[in-house]
Amino acid sequence: MKFVAFERAKQGTGASRRLRITGRTPGIVYGGTGEPQTIELDHNALWHALKKEAFHASILEMEMDGKSSQVLLRDVQYHPFKQLVLHVDFQKVDANTKLHMKVPLHYVNAEESQAVKFEACVVNHVIAELAITCLPADLPEFIEVDLSSLKKGMSLTLGDIQLPKGVSAVTHGKKNPVLVSVVSTVAEEAPAAEAAPAADAKAAAKPAAKPAAKK
């Protein structure tokens, strides 16, 4: 994706506040060999770009002063209750330096699985995004996970999926975390169905109360 940035001359809290009043958002680009570069962006254009998944998980082309450079979105600061972006951070991309990113997982074909189609199960997505490391050229916008082989009682772990070429997962704690679990919706109804006849039998066995004696 491409976006346009402008060089920002004035810095400081007051300058940033005045900048936001004019419909611009202050930002910074760091990384590489030079000093961090202060920039500003059109707020409305940035707001709409931030709604797109690719803006968060792919290499972006930043155009400024007629020149293009590759960057990654690293941080966004939002106003606590207004629809307003207060500040945005980007990192310069070096083609020979590995990136550490979180990319979304796109789960597909769950409705075609035996678990959903024939066994009345619900598929729970335990993890929505995966931390990875790779070179910029190998960075995927997302990782697709096929769920068509799921069956009742199964779970899908990181070791069960094929990562794109050049991509390695970064896990903290568990080496093989669960990505998806399958839960049966029928099993929960069975105890209730069994409890009803038992309650009826208990009521039938209970002796009827004797009528009160007349005075």
Side-chain angles (χ1 to χ4, degrees), residues 37-52:
Q37 188 174 23
T38 54
I39 62 172
E40 59 185 72
L41 303 90
D42 178 81
H43 179 270
N44 288 341
L46 175 63
W47 180 265
H48 290 295
L50 287 168
K51 293 182 179 180
K52 299 177 181 178

Side-chain angles (χ1 to χ4, degrees), residues 119-193:
E119 298 174 329
C121 293
V122 174
V123 177
N124 290 332
H125 301 165
V126 180
I127 296 177
E129 58 182 12
L130 185 66
I132 64 166
T133 180
C134 65
L135 289 173
D138 296 325
L139 178 64
E141 184 177 324
F142 59 85
I143 296 175
E144 188 172 280
V145 181
D146 186 7
L147 304 181
S148 61
S149 62
L150 289 180
K151 297 179 181 179
K152 183 178 179 180
M154 283 183 61
S155 61
L156 195 71
T157 66
L158 178 60
D160 296 324
I161 68 171
Q162 182 71 38
L163 295 176
K165 182 181 178 181
V167 173
S168 299
V170 179
T171 57
H172 304 283
K174 293 184 179 180
K175 293 183 179 180
N176 191 30
V178 174
L179 306 181
V180 168
S181 63
V182 178
V183 179
S184 175
T185 59
V186 178
E188 297 178 358
E189 298 174 359

Side-chain angles (χ1 to χ4, degrees), residues 8 11 25-30 35-41 62 72 87-91:
R8 176 162 56 102
Q11 302 181 42
T25 301
I28 190 170
V29 182
Y30 60 85
E35 292 292 323
Q37 188 174 23
T38 54
I39 62 172
E40 59 185 72
L41 303 90
M62 183 180 73
L72 287 169
H87 195 274
V88 62
D89 294 5
F90 296 96
Q91 178 188 353

Side-chain angles (χ1 to χ4, degrees), residues 38-100:
T38 54
I39 62 172
E40 59 185 72
L41 303 90
D42 178 81
H43 179 270
N44 288 341
L46 175 63
W47 180 265
H48 290 295
L50 287 168
K51 293 182 179 180
K52 299 177 181 178
E53 185 180 72
F55 199 76
H56 296 261
S58 60
I59 295 175
L60 307 172
E61 185 179 348
M62 183 180 73
E63 184 179 325
M64 187 168 67
D65 296 333
K67 297 179 181 179
S68 294
S69 57
Q70 290 187 326
V71 298
L72 287 169
L73 177 66
R74 281 308 192 186
D75 188 50
V76 183
Q77 297 176 26
Y78 293 95
H79 193 279
F81 57 87
K82 294 181 180 179
Q83 291 189 343
L84 181 67
V85 181
L86 300 176
H87 195 274
V88 62
D89 294 5
F90 296 96
Q91 178 188 353
K92 292 180 181 177
V93 172
D94 180 0
N96 299 314
T97 302
K98 282 193 172 184
L99 305 170
H100 291 267

